[in-house]
Amino acid sequence: MDRLDLQHHAFRLTLDGKLFRAPIPEDVQNVLDVGCGTGIWSIEFADEHPSARVLGTDLSPIQPAQVPPNCEFLIDDCEQEWIFHNQFDFIHTRAMVAAIKNWNRFFEQAYANLKPGGYIECQELVFPIRCMDPGITAANSPLMRWSELFLEAAAKMGLDAAGPRTLSPKLRDAGFVDINLKTYKWPIGKWARGAKFKLLGRFVMEDLMDWLPSSSLGLFTRILGWTRDEVELFLAECRAEAKRKDRHYYGEV
């Protein structure tokens, strides 16, 4: 399964099968999915809401050709000027923490492109990784050290990987009202109790294992000055740490 699709299933499982939390009407009309990736959210939303015209945008043309008639995709950079012909009733974004450098500008453009009474929903991954066990820090956990190094390297590129924790004031500054924040914990691995959280933990573990090299090799070598061998060795330590049954790591969304 594609990593982005796996992540989609993790988000949907988190929301008890739902695609969103916003109180939008069942007959919603114009919907924008920013950073749609493989397009899976756009396609499923279009299937479940035949009244809607769903537009998914992304930098990469990785979406399928066969889609519902009320769904389409556009190659677009959401950090550039937004030029849409119609305003939207609902704007959705997910896992854009490593893509958006200027959240203030993003929300200003989203606000300008929403109809009065419309909604925006941001489903975000938040750094750093945390641990339920006392005394586990970056000093004695390769996984938590990786998390801090990722934050450091991303910051040098102008990305704030911890930024989603402070989106509420940015939304308010852009003009949004009735802001609702909900935080969920994603266990890494199958240590959490209950069938739902064990399945979620498996999804998150697979997502992390796949994302570690793609997120780290370029950042650590180009930004932090590591050699490729140093990164590979460190990531092997991170994988082993994540799989330890005596440690209880989790992420927040």
Side-chain angles (χ1 to χ4, degrees), residues 13-214:
L13 182 61
T14 302
L15 298 182
D16 296 321
K18 297 178 182 179
L19 288 168
F20 56 90
R21 292 184 65 244
I24 60 174
E26 190 63 32
D27 61 347
V28 63
Q29 299 294 306
N30 292 315
V31 177
L32 175 65
D33 183 19
V34 181
C36 65
T38 64
I40 189 170
W41 187 95
S42 303
I43 291 168
E44 292 186 6
F45 188 97
D47 278 335
E48 295 180 19
H49 297 81
S51 66
R53 293 177 65 252
V54 183
L55 174 64
T57 65
D58 200 275
L59 283 171
S60 302
I62 57 175
Q63 302 78 32
Q66 300 298 319
V67 299
N70 58 329
C71 178
E72 61 180 319
F73 298 106
L74 174 71
I75 305 306
D76 187 58
D77 182 353
C78 68
E79 293 216 289
Q80 299 300 313
E81 192 73 22
W82 291 21
I83 305 175
F84 297 112
H85 298 298
N86 300 301
Q87 288 185 309
F88 299 95
D89 301 292
F90 182 39
I91 296 177
H92 169 266
T93 75
R94 187 170 65 192
M96 297 290 282
V97 65
I100 295 178
K101 293 183 178 180
N102 190 341
W103 282 100
N104 290 313
R105 176 61 174 151
F106 177 84
F107 289 139
E108 289 170 3
Q109 299 212 82
Y111 187 86
N113 283 270
L114 269 176
K115 293 179 183 177
Y119 288 89
I120 183 171
E121 179 165 332
C122 303
Q123 300 176 3
E124 277 304 322
L125 304 168
V126 185
F127 279 80
I129 288 175
R130 300 191 184 279
C131 186
M132 300 283 287
D133 311 306
I136 306 302
T137 68
N140 55 20
S141 166
L143 189 62
M144 294 187 77
R145 182 168 179 245
W146 168 82
S147 183
E148 290 196 356
L149 288 167
F150 180 87
L151 277 164
E152 177 188 337
K156 290 181 178 180
M157 291 182 60
L159 290 165
D160 183 3
R165 297 185 190 278
T166 59
L167 291 188
S168 292
K170 292 179 173 62
L171 284 160
R172 195 171 293 111
D173 289 345
F176 289 97
V177 296
D178 298 329
I179 299 165
N180 184 278
L181 173 66
K182 176 71 173 178
T183 302
Y184 300 88
K185 289 182 179 179
W186 274 10
I188 299 174
K190 296 185 286 185
W191 58 263
R193 294 179 180 177
K196 170 185 172 178
F197 289 103
K198 288 190 182 301
L199 179 59
L200 178 60
R202 182 169 69 83
F203 285 163
V204 175
M205 175 68 86
E206 291 182 20
D207 182 28
L208 178 64
M209 292 299 103
D210 190 50
W211 195 57
L212 276 172
S214 61

